[in-house]
Amino acid sequence: MADENEQQSACEAGRDEQHCKCRQRRAAAEAAAENASAAQQPAAHHCKCKHDGAAEAGDEQPKHCACKHDAEGHAISTEPHLGYVADLASLIEIQPESTVSRVVMREDGLRVVLFGFDKDQALSEHTAAMPVTIQVLEGKLRVGGEGREVELVPGGVVYLSARLPHTVYAVEPSKMLLSMFDNRG
């Protein structure tokens, strides 16, 4: 939903004329968020720019806009702007005996993902291709990496460099904010 808010703000500021249906998509995304399934699947944020699809009659090339797209085809603004997501913790629910996640922001070089962990749920040892930070919005996590383990509670932050093997364990039901910084271009 953050992408939709940013696109609407860009439209209202006159910077993003190619996303002319952003208000309709935002309303649809808000409705979808309210009716989200137990799996907490994110609402679609796919760019509907003029260049999506085939070229118009008489055009040799599809129309192009100034937006950039991530690997999943979502629009990423290249114009200076302020991204904002209010009340992050309310955007995900903790599911019994599960770990759930939801992307809440995509920006140039940044992806923000919310996680909901029930007590005793974990992410087994893995690595990330990019640097990340982890913050707890609610609850308590144990984060391990590089032979260390820290208890992370609201107000703290953990930084993990790219390719560092690490684990995440929920000591109690928890909501986590993961920020991934991808500057590979």
Side-chain angles (χ1 to χ4, degrees), residues 64-81:
H64 288 278
C65 69
C67 69
K68 184 177 174 183
H69 298 87
D70 66 12
E72 297 162 350
H74 298 91
I76 301 172
S77 176
T78 57
E79 295 293 319
H81 66 282

Side-chain angles (χ1 to χ4, degrees), residues 71-112:
E72 297 162 350
H74 298 91
I76 301 172
S77 176
T78 57
E79 295 293 319
H81 66 282
L82 182 145
Y84 176 70
V85 179
D87 196 15
L88 287 165
S90 71
L91 298 177
I92 199 159
E93 294 297 322
I94 296 171
Q95 302 297 317
E97 300 180 17
S98 297
T99 299
V100 294
S101 65
R102 177 179 184 184
V103 175
V104 294
M105 182 179 284
R106 287 181 179 88
E107 293 293 342
D108 189 23
L110 172 69
R111 180 177 297 190
V112 179

